[in-house]
DNA sequence: ATAAATTATTGGAACGTTCCAATTAGGAAA
DNA sequence: TTTCCTAATTGGAACGTTCCAATAATTTAT
């Protein structure tokens, strides 16, 4: 709690006095109200500038019971995917005249609760949440009970009074797997991911593709691990030790794929030649992996902007029906598979 | 500007009434003042909880002229280095009970000005700034004139009334270059970077090491480009086309090194065998590059926490002398060089 | 018992805006 | 001129806290 050492702030009153008008007039000028004729407005603005007046949004927002801040809580910035989400959301919100109260939960539900409460006390006008793993379903209900506009991203939290922006994971994984099948692969692993809806959905698509081709789903080719680079590295090693050796894999996400790529490299194998690898998300770097990664594009930046837009619209029209934006996954074929 | 549709908020007054005390008492209870005996405090807290009271920090901060929010403005989150900085700063600040107003400038000075102004209006208690390229020197002076505590990170903005947290770039680059020299290399390129103090400092260290060994600085081996993965890729290609072919390089940063690694790979060359490559920063991923990157460790996470601490201390003691934290670079040798 | 000291509690004036209802000024119409 | 209408402007009461000075209740000392 820092106390600004108070060389008393210039307020609207003093501007008013300097300009020879009332504080009400100054207030109107500041919101560029059409009620004030140009010459008066100019005089006021000049006085404000001369005095070094600076607007105190806290006071204004307290009085008006409004808010220009939006809480954005993100679970894992060590994954560039989420960084792209954060950047996209921020861009759209700033563009709309809002400012972002940001928090990083490191996948801790406890921390998430803490920052959510703080944001509420701070008077955030709405919240964009990438939920941490293990977030209880009840959370959305609670936030709704605050009558706080909420959009959940990426990981759905089941039914509830919130908007959602994510990807059609099942369809994406299906497409990725189909691509490998079409190339003639029959032993296709699935790498990385430990828990959560996103994993379930992606696995579902993977299985659907396999069984759709009359292949039976082989529990053995499914190697779970943290969805990190390290997890990708390890799961790929595990996979390559299976007999007979699988010839391809779809990864939980691009970061896992990146780790998998390393494992391949360490064995002197080349993705795209000795092994076919598919990522998921299409983060910006995916195009510059070595080799460039074939993946499922869900356009993270766009997804983020859509999410922000959902929130803005919700704040505009609190009563509208529940909105869900699902990014249409698109297969992008580069060199890894 | 969203107007919460006002099912009138529960205030301290109603809690007071419910608990049969005055609002002043409630206020004291909320700050756990020792003036209030436990039984009264309990009664008040119970009433607050029962009514679903939620604290309005805006009102409190307006009255007390205090603030719990800190502005963090970051220039380029597409570089994981800055993401690590952001995360570190946020961690430390949240730990200290603050909340982060975050903004991303995309290296735009204009945007930077805009968000800085907004943060000021929002009443941020202080600012952590990773300046965008091209930030005018005068900026720190202006922020100081707001009597707003400021810590600048990474890119120094010259003399001024602000604290600074960065790295000893010259020394780091010197160490990296010396390492290559010690391994017998004599044709050592410098890749990436276009402008800015950081580049100047790193180049200075690079030159110092060369000339210290009696080698003359060869303008030709210095290949400038955006400090991005792409820039690294391109500059490495350019470098490899020089005759006679250089055998090693130090990169402006790890991301450039990553791009350089790709260029090497594309030519069938292996860093650590056919070519020695040094990065700078030691972002987390550097250890998982292929091959793992030898680099200069400036401990980004620690650097960020130090920066946050500088700010907290400055807010505590506005009058203290200017503080500068320079991360001591440490050579970490992995497999790329 | 009374005075003095301590402990609990409290009303009301800020903090810097916005908003409403009301007032004043300036023409145009009568 | 008087009347009416519109255009400009304004005072004061909020918004939900905190803080100060002051009062009320209780205990301790005399």
């Amino acid at each position: 709690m820092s106390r600004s050492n108070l060389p008393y702030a210039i307020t609207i009153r003093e501007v008013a006095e300097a300009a020879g008008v009332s504080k009400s007039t100054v207030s109107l000028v500041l919101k560029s109200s059409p009620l004030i004729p140009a010459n008066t407005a100019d005089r006021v603005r000049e006085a404000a500038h001369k005095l070094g007046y600076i607007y105190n949004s806290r006071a204004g927002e307290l009085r008006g019971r409004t808010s220009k801040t939006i809480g954005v809580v993100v679970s894992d910035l060590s994954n560039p995917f989420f960084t792209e989400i954060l950047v996209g959301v921020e861009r759209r919100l700033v563009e709309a005249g809002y400012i972002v109260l940001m928090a990083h939960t490191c996948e801790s539900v406890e921390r998430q609760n803490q920052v959510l409460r703080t944001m509420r006390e701070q008077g955030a006008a709405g919240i964009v949440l990438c939920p941490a793993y293990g977030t209880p379903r009840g959370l959305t209900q609670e936030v709704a009970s605050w009558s706080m506009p909420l959009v959940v991203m990426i990981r759905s939290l089941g039914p509830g009074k919130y908007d959602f922006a994510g990807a059609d994971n099942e369809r994406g994984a299906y497409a990725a797997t189909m691509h490998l099948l079409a190339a003639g692969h029959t032993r296709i692993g699935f790498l990385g991911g430990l828990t959560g809806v996103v994993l379930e959905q992606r696995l579902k698509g993977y299985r659907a593709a396999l069984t759709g081709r009359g292949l039976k789903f082989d529990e053995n080719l499914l190697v779970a691990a943290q969805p990190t680079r390290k997890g990708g590295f390890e799961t790929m090693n595990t996979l390559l030790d299976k007999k007979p050796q699988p010839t391809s894999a779809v990864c939980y996400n691009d970061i896992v794929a990146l780790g998998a790529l390393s494992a391949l490299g360490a064995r002197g194998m080349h993705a795209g030649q000795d092994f076919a690898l598919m990522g998921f998300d299409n983060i910006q770097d995916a195009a510059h992996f070595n080799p460039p990664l074939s993946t499922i594009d869900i356009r993270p930046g766009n997804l983020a902007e859509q999410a922000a837009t959902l929130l803005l619209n919700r704040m505009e029209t609190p009563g509208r029906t529940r909105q869900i934006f699902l990014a249409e996954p698109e297969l992008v074929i580069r060199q890894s598979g």
Side-chain angles (χ1 to χ4, degrees), chain A:
Chain A
M1 184 89 61
S2 113
R3 178 181 310 272
S4 50
N5 31 358
L6 341 156
Y8 271 69
I10 306 283
T11 81
I12 220 179
R13 294 190 107 93
E14 357 225 355
V15 174
E17 176 151 17
V21 298
S22 76
K23 62 186 164 39
S24 306
T25 303
V26 176
S27 177
L28 291 174
V29 170
L30 291 180
K31 349 181 61 78
S32 342
S33 158
L35 293 183
I36 308 293
N39 57 339
T40 314
D42 287 347
R43 195 154 34 98
V44 169
R45 265 188 272 267
E46 192 183 348
H49 183 258
K50 187 169 299 172
L51 292 180
Y53 168 77
I54 113 105
Y55 181 74
N56 183 329
S57 2
R58 254 203 294 257
E61 296 180 357
L62 173 60
R63 173 56 171 100
R65 301 157 128 240
T66 60
S67 172
K68 278 295 208 182
T69 64
I70 303 270
V72 177
V73 8
V74 72
S75 56
D76 175 23
L77 287 175
S78 73
N79 182 346
F81 172 72
F82 286 110
T83 305
E84 289 179 30
I85 293 294
L86 173 63
V87 168
V89 168
E90 194 262 359
R91 185 191 322 131
R92 180 78 183 87
L93 290 179
V94 168
E95 176 188 307
Y98 288 84
I99 182 163
V100 167
L101 273 178
M102 174 266 194
H104 186 219
T105 60
C106 299
E107 302 287 7
S108 152
V109 173
E110 188 183 3
R111 219 178 142 106
Q112 181 172 280
N113 285 332
Q114 187 204 327
V115 301
L116 248 22
R117 202 187 56 237
T118 308
M119 284 172 171
R120 187 186 181 200
E121 294 187 345
Q122 285 288 337
I127 285 189
V128 176
L129 170 69
C130 301
Y133 282 126
T135 298
R137 290 292 157 103
L139 183 67
T140 63
Q141 225 173 335
E142 191 183 349
V143 174
S145 80
W146 304 347
S147 66
M148 166 89 83
L150 168 69
V151 9
V152 172
M153 290 198 71
I154 315 302
R155 302 173 184 159
S156 174
L157 291 176
K161 241 177 133 308
Y162 63 93
D163 297 316
F164 179 77
D168 190 336
N169 292 306
E170 183 176 342
R171 194 151 153 188
Y174 182 86
T177 313
M178 283 307 269
H179 172 65
L180 293 174
L181 286 166
H185 296 278
T186 55
R187 283 184 66 74
I188 305 175
F190 189 101
L191 303 182
L194 217 46
T195 174
V197 259
V198 173
L199 176 61
E200 282 167 27
Q201 293 166 350
R202 291 184 184 177
L203 270 180
K204 197 165 168 198
Y206 162 76
R207 295 174 77 143
L210 289 182
T211 57
R213 276 295 174 99
L215 292 174
K216 79 173 206 298
F217 167 71
D218 184 350
E219 185 82 45
N220 217 27
L221 297 185
L222 197 161
V223 195
Q226 294 279 66
T228 62
R229 193 158 185 157
K230 182 151 169 280
F233 186 86
E234 292 168 355
T235 52
M236 180 55 109
N237 276 323
T238 308
L239 187 72
L240 289 176
D241 289 340
K242 308 271 184 189
K243 303 271 158 60
Q245 198 179 53
T247 60
S248 65
V250 0
C251 296
Y252 174 69
N253 67 19
D254 288 351
I255 291 302
V256 167
L258 185 52
L261 243 24
S262 298
L264 242 20
R267 297 197 180 206
M269 295 174 73
H270 292 277
Q273 296 169 222
D274 316 319
F275 196 94
L277 194 72
M278 299 295 301
F280 204 115
D281 285 348
N282 196 26
I283 61 177
Q284 299 201 285
D285 265 1
H288 305 108
F289 285 0
N290 184 11
L293 185 71
S294 295
T295 189
I296 298 299
D297 186 10
I298 61 174
R299 304 209 289 148
N302 177 254
L303 177 51
E305 298 201 350
Q306 295 292 340
T309 303
L310 284 183
L311 187 66
L312 293 169
N313 290 339
R314 169 68 52 195
M315 293 179 334
E316 187 80 19
T317 323
R320 75 208 282 250
T321 60
R322 185 181 188 204
Q323 303 287 313
I324 290 183
F325 174 82
L326 274 200
E328 270 317 317
E330 206 165 309
L331 184 66
V332 4
I333 300 171
R334 290 197 268 249
Q335 295 169 34
S336 70

